Amino acid sequence: MVLTEAERVRGDGSGAMFDRIAARYDVLNRLISLGGDRRWRRIAAEALALDGGTRRPPRVLDVASGTGDLAIEIARRHPGAAVQGIDASLGMTEIGRRKVDRAGFGDRITLDAGNALELPFSDHSFDAVTIAFGIRNIPDRDRALREITRVTRPGGRVAILEAGEPSAGLTGALARFHIHVVVPFVGGLLAGAEEYRYLERSIRAFPPVSEFVRTMAAAGLEEVETRSLTFGVCNLFLARPAAASPLGADT
Ligand SMILES: C[S@@+](CC[C@H](N)C(=O)[O-])C[C@H]1O[C@@H](n2cnc3c(N)ncnc32)[C@H](O)[C@@H]1O
């Protein structure tokens, strides 16, 4: 699915913003997360139990797949799985495709341009759906979560990784200093000041864990579990489509 120019150039956090920083995105990610981002994606990929379905091979959708790191991690951890990625930035997607080929997963991972608000897939078509550091960038989170719920099969898994405000205490204070002072400064030097101020602002603006869990439930997800990673710098949300929900029901 190809996005219109108007869809791609929407404000902060849009595909257009990520097009501008795509070439430096991976390096900056490693740097500003002090290498933690790889570990967080590994934990998310491992949390997908891809054993309960009847579909072979299991199908996983990675929404806002960016440069493909989570899709690659899922392919590594789940040797039988086929992974479809979708992202609003062509620049990020193109870099991702090259990484997928280099990693030798060209036959199991497909990365396409597309919009999380209108996933071009039929209901219940995936055994698991993931989104890493993407939901914060999508203003209409409720709609994106409803789309994610719609395309996940009944009993399937949804895994959401997102940056958060670090917890209280001394370590949390150090982590907050890192996110609110070091990240915009280093990001500004190496990429674009505005883009990395946006990163800091969007983390501050993202709802607390309990509130986001309620948003997930309202979008038709249940059995929501949360895991705080690295003092709450990152949170993993795991859920399933609600059996009683018209979005999650087996029709
Ligand atoms: C911080 S990056 C995360 C990329 C990747 N998931 C990762 O773990 O590194 C956020 C991604 O969300 C994408 N994005 C923003 N709005 C989107 C939308 N409406 N639909 C699909 N992707 C979107 C951006 O293009 C960007 O690649």
Side-chain angles (χ1 to χ4, degrees):
M1 175 194 178
V2 176
L3 299 184
T4 64
E5 197 52 21
E7 282 169 321
R8 295 184 62 242
V9 296
R10 232 174 352 95
D12 279 345
S14 66
M17 188 195 99
F18 281 94
D19 276 344
R20 291 199 293 276
I21 59 170
R24 287 149 292 172
Y25 176 79
D26 285 347
V27 173
L28 280 157
N29 239 352
R30 297 299 102 81
L31 216 60
I32 64 185
S33 72
L34 306 175
D37 66 311
R38 281 191 163 144
R39 187 177 143 259
W40 301 330
R41 288 192 198 86
R42 200 160 54 237
I43 292 170
E46 277 167 1
L48 301 178
L50 295 177
D51 48 2
T54 49
R55 196 183 281 115
R56 289 288 173 269
R59 289 188 73 207
V60 181
L61 172 66
D62 183 34
V63 179
S65 48
T67 58
D69 279 348
L70 182 56
I72 292 172
E73 200 55 51
I74 293 167
R76 266 198 197 114
R77 307 268 139 196
H78 302 279
V83 188
Q84 168 73 62
I86 194 153
D87 195 280
S89 160
L90 292 176
M92 299 280 277
T93 303
E94 273 159 19
I95 290 172
R97 285 177 183 147
R98 291 200 287 274
K99 285 166 63 180
V100 164
D101 285 341
R102 279 202 302 275
F105 290 127
D107 55 339
R108 289 207 287 131
I109 301 179
T110 308
L111 300 182
D112 289 318
N115 189 349
L117 299 176
E118 266 175 67
L119 292 173
F121 307 107
S122 48
D123 298 357
H124 312 156
S125 44
F126 292 94
D127 297 280
V129 180
T130 58
I131 177 165
F133 312 110
I135 196 75
R136 179 171 34 89
N137 297 296
I138 301 175
D140 194 347
R141 281 184 203 125
D142 182 59
R143 183 164 160 199
L145 289 171
R146 282 178 188 277
E147 277 294 89
I148 286 171
T149 307
R150 179 182 68 74
V151 301
T152 309
R153 74 162 166 79
R157 200 68 158 148
V158 170
I160 301 174
L161 261 186
E162 194 46 86
E165 265 301 86
S167 51
L170 180 62
T171 326
L174 286 174
R176 277 196 300 282
F177 177 78
H178 180 75
I179 287 179
H180 295 304
V181 179
V182 179
V183 166
F185 180 71
V186 176
L189 284 183
L190 298 182
E194 186 43 44
E195 284 78 2
Y196 278 83
R197 265 201 299 276
Y198 162 75
L199 174 66
E200 188 262 333
R201 269 200 322 270
S202 64
I203 292 173
R204 206 190 283 273
F206 194 70
V209 167
S210 55
E211 192 181 325
F212 186 64
V213 166
R214 283 196 294 277
T215 309
M216 289 175 70
L221 291 164
E222 68 177 13
E223 294 180 41
V224 183
E225 286 168 45
T226 61
R227 283 171 71 179
S228 166
L229 308 172
T230 320
F231 311 105
V233 170
C234 180
N235 291 295
L236 173 62
F237 302 83
L238 296 168
R240 296 184 192 283
S245 153
L247 295 165
D250 202 0
T251 49

